[in-house]
């Protein structure tokens, strides 16, 4: 495993923000700079010292449960302005982020609930702007969905309590749904894990929030929505850390819950010398394990991977391959998202006891009830569904309880992650080709000029947003409403 030679440089970082001073003194010279110690007793002082050491992998904190009762997860999530730094120890670049955080923490706390729990979240809006929280991937009652279609946002200084039951195990996440592209980009997102006591046991479970950052965060978020081959902004982080190093023990079995929280960047994941072992996606565990060379993780997507490191197996790796939103594989080398060091000398854990069932996709034989056609152009920055820009849209209605097949088509020259609130969907076919097994999703990438066939059951009353999860596209109008009525 490659370990970077660690050049340890400790510099004093003044509490005075220095807009031109991304690189601290001494960063470009071989000489160790003079170390100054800065007292951290002023309110605006952050990170008194920077070390150019590869950071150790760390998970987001777990939100404290304010309720002693089993069956209730009661937490507080206060969004507020927060200044933090993204430190690229490889290039010695510091990206100062005039960001937002929940509970003063970037990354935000992970909400860990058990299936069947009631989740209660007290929000006190300490931002200068209205906000909401949306529970991405969870079917919650409409008034708890955090949208502003027929609902008010939480105004600055106001409070709101979200409350809903979590019925389906899986890897979900939360983020605002007001000025969404900008608020998510500033760091407002966290993981919501719904654990199932019947899930196959693992030795360790890790949450990985993946986000990307522009070198200059002062550029308005909407102004450069497609930047680079991935639509990514430049520097990817894992839980706010650039390429951290994770120590694992040979013989242990690790479940990783990955969430692409970037407001527009795609990840095309690879596993280095070994394929990726995919055990879950958006809506929980897959019927059977899938072993893949690459896994596309579009904004909003989740994937659960299984790692079984051992001396008889290739060391686990997580890398990002160049991917173009204008047609897939692109030129270039994979970039490591983290480094893994395997300690010990046991053989790899086996996956033979992982429960697997055969569940083929539902046959794609029903005529679609309606079609969403995604249109638009990066040149004009004009994004629409069926020729309409949100909020000037036609609401598509479904009767409670009905099951329909619908189509999502892409007539634009860029890919879009299609996301539906409140309901979940089975992917029946992609350009006429069925997936290898049953596939239950809330976010599904719509490839270039592709047509998706999706099947949903209208089992949750409400006016559900359906939109592109490249958030500047969604905010720009690529959003519509699918309403379930009595
Ligand atoms: Cu993750 Cu409508 O959003
Ligand atoms: Cu889009």
């Amino acid at each position: 495993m490659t370990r970077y030679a660690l050049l340890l440089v400790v510099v004093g970082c003044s509490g005075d923000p220095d807009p031109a001073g991304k690189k601290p003194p001494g960063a470009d010279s071989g000489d160790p700079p003079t170390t100054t110690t800065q007292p951290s007793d002023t309110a605006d002082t952050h990170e008194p010292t920077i070390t150019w050491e590869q950071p150790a992998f760390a998970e987001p904190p777990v939100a404290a449960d304010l309720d002693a009762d089993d069956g209730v997860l009661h937490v507080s999530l206060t969004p507020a302005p927060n200044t933090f730094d993204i430190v690229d120890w490889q290039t010695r670049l510091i990206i100062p982020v005039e960001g937002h955080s929940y509970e003063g923490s970037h990354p935000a706390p992970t909400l860990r609930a058990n299936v069947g729990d009631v989740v209660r979240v007290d929000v006190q809006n300490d931002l200068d702007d209205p906000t909401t929280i949306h529970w991405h991937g969870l079917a919650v009652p409409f008034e708890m969905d955090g949208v502003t279609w027929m609902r008010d946002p939480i105004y600055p200084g106001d409070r709101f309590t979200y409350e809903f039951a979590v019925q389906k195990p899986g890897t979900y996440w939360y983020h605002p749904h007001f000025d969404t592209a900008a608020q998510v980009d500033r760091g407002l997102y966290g993981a919501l894990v719904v654990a199932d006591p019947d899930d196959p046991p693992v030795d360790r479970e890790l949450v990985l929030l993946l986000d990307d950052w522009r070198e200059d965060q002062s550029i308005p978020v909407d102004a450069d929505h497609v930047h680079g081959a991935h639509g990514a902004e430049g520097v990817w982080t894992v839980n706010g850390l650039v390429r951290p190093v994770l120590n694992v023990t040979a013989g242990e079995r690790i479940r990783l819950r990955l969430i692409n929280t970037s407001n527009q960047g795609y990840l095309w994941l690879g596993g280095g010398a070994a394929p990726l072992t995919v055990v879950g996606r958006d809506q929980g565990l897959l019927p059977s394990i899938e072993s893949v060379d690459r896994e596309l993780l579009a904004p909003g997507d989740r994937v659960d991977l299984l790692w079984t490191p051992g001396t008889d197996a290739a060391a686990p790796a997580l890398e990002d391959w160049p991917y173009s939103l204008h047609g897939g594989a692109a030129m270039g080398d994979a970039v490591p998202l983290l480094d893994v060091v395997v300690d010990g000398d046991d053989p790899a854990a086996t996956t033979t006891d992982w429960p697997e069932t055969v569940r083929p996709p539902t046959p794609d034989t029903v005529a679609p009830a309606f079609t969403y056609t995604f249109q638009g152009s990066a040149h004009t920055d004009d994004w629409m569904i069926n020729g309409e820009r949100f909020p000037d849209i036609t609401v598509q209605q479904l009767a409670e309880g009905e099951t329909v097949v619908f189509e999502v088509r892409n007539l634009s020259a860029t890919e879009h992650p299609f996301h539906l609130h409140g309901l979940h969907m089975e992917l029946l076919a992609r350009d006429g080709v069925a997936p290898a097994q049953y596939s239950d999703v809330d976010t599904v990438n719509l490839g270039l000029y592709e047509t998706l066939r999706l099947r949903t059951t209208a089992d949750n009353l409400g006016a559900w947003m359906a939109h592109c999860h490249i958030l500047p596209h969604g905010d720009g109008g690529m959003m519509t409403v699918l309403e379930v009525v009595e």
Side-chain angles (χ1 to χ4, degrees):
M1 194 82 297
T2 310
R3 286 298 303 266
Y4 268 61
L6 302 181
L7 181 56
L8 181 67
V9 181
V10 182
V11 298
C13 179
S14 133
D16 271 338
D18 172 9
K22 281 188 204 162
K23 294 192 181 188
D28 289 320
S29 86
D31 301 333
T34 318
T35 301
T36 57
T37 319
Q38 201 70 29
S40 55
D41 56 359
T42 54
D44 63 348
T45 299
H46 61 280
E47 293 299 323
T49 56
I50 298 289
T51 62
W52 300 117
E53 192 175 349
Q54 183 174 24
F57 173 88
E59 281 196 282
V62 174
D65 189 354
L66 308 172
D67 191 310
D69 287 358
D70 269 1
V72 179
L73 173 66
H74 182 191
V75 303
S76 147
L77 285 178
T78 297
N82 187 20
T83 302
F84 52 91
D85 291 328
I86 300 301
V87 179
D88 188 346
W89 57 279
Q90 303 168 104
T91 57
R92 295 185 170 193
L93 175 77
I94 298 175
I95 302 175
V97 183
E98 294 299 323
H100 296 338
S101 293
Y102 291 112
E103 297 298 291
S105 168
H106 183 82
T110 297
L111 273 49
R112 277 196 174 271
N114 283 315
V115 66
D117 281 358
V118 168
V119 175
R120 187 176 304 134
V121 183
D122 297 330
V123 181
Q124 153 82 40
N125 183 6
D126 283 349
L127 300 170
D128 296 328
D129 301 298
T131 193
T132 68
I133 303 184
H134 168 63
W135 314 96
H136 184 120
L138 286 166
V140 301
F142 178 63
E143 6 13 300
M144 296 296 151
D145 198 44
V147 298
T148 54
W149 179 261
M150 309 196 307
R151 307 282 315 171
D152 282 333
I154 311 167
Y155 290 101
D158 282 1
R159 294 168 174 275
F160 185 79
T161 297
Y162 291 93
E163 185 170 320
F164 48 86
V166 289
Q167 313 287 13
K168 202 173 180 186
T171 304
Y172 306 99
W173 63 297
Y174 61 89
H175 64 75
H177 223 280
F178 182 92
D179 196 9
T180 315
Q183 291 195 3
V184 171
D185 200 49
R186 293 201 166 93
L188 287 181
Y189 51 75
L192 196 168
V193 172
V194 181
D196 184 346
D198 293 334
D199 270 0
V202 293
D203 298 304
R204 260 207 290 174
E205 188 182 294
L206 302 171
V207 166
L208 287 79
L209 302 170
L210 304 159
D211 194 3
D212 64 334
W213 307 86
R214 291 182 301 284
E215 291 187 13
D216 184 354
Q217 290 283 318
S218 66
I219 299 169
V221 66
D222 288 9
D224 74 337
H225 58 88
V226 177
H227 178 122
H230 304 63
E233 297 173 336
V235 181
W236 278 96
T237 53
V238 178
N239 299 336
L241 305 168
V242 176
R243 194 176 174 177
V245 62
L246 172 65
N247 282 76
V248 300
T249 306
E252 71 175 336
R253 180 151 87 177
I254 306 167
R255 176 171 176 179
L256 300 107
R257 297 178 183 263
L258 275 63
I259 307 173
N260 184 348
T261 62
S262 167
N263 79 343
Q264 56 197 291
Y266 277 57
L267 287 158
W268 202 23
L269 302 171
L276 295 167
T277 304
V278 177
V279 296
R281 293 200 180 92
D282 289 11
Q283 290 280 314
L285 291 180
L286 305 179
S288 293
I289 290 178
E290 290 181 21
S291 177
V292 302
D293 287 331
R294 299 268 195 283
E295 175 77 7
L296 188 68
L297 207 65
D301 268 337
R302 288 88 68 211
V303 66
D304 284 21
L305 302 176
L306 203 60
W307 275 358
T308 59
T311 42
D312 57 340
L318 200 58
E319 59 195 16
D320 177 34
W321 284 86
Y323 186 87
S324 165
L325 300 193
H326 313 295
M331 298 278 285
D333 295 323
V335 175
L337 293 168
L338 50 71
D339 288 332
V340 181
V341 174
V342 182
D343 301 320
D345 43 32
D346 284 316
T350 143
T351 54
T352 50
D353 58 339
W354 195 267
E356 299 197 72
T357 54
V358 176
R359 182 163 182 194
T362 304
D364 179 23
T365 52
V366 178
F370 59 93
T371 298
Y372 285 146
T373 302
F374 279 50
Q375 296 159 284
S377 154
H379 299 292
T380 54
D381 205 16
D382 199 15
W383 304 104
M384 292 168 291
I385 296 174
N386 294 349
E388 298 173 332
R389 300 182 63 157
F390 188 84
D392 302 315
I393 48 116
T394 307
V395 174
Q396 176 72 48
Q397 288 189 328
L398 299 177
E400 186 180 17
E402 81 172 308
T403 296
V404 292
V405 171
F406 65 102
E407 243 176 23
V408 182
R409 285 174 177 255
N410 190 0
L411 290 188
S412 77
T414 189
E415 305 195 353
H416 307 274
F418 172 69
H419 173 53
L420 176 62
H421 292 205
L423 307 172
H424 57 107
M425 310 172 279
E426 181 188 351
L427 175 63
L428 299 183
R430 199 179 264 291
D431 274 344
V433 180
Q437 60 177 343
Y438 174 78
S439 167
D440 190 11
V441 298
D442 54 71
T443 311
V444 56
N445 192 53
L446 177 58
L448 211 58
Y449 299 110
E450 219 169 40
T451 298
L452 307 176
R453 282 277 176 91
L454 297 156
R455 180 177 188 269
T456 192
T457 297
D459 55 7
N460 197 10
L461 288 174
W464 304 114
M465 317 306 292
H467 64 92
C468 177
H469 221 282
I470 291 178
L471 296 173
H473 293 183
D475 285 2
M478 198 169 243
M479 173 137 63
T480 188
V481 174
L482 179 59
E483 185 174 21
V484 180
V485 293
E486 280 179 285

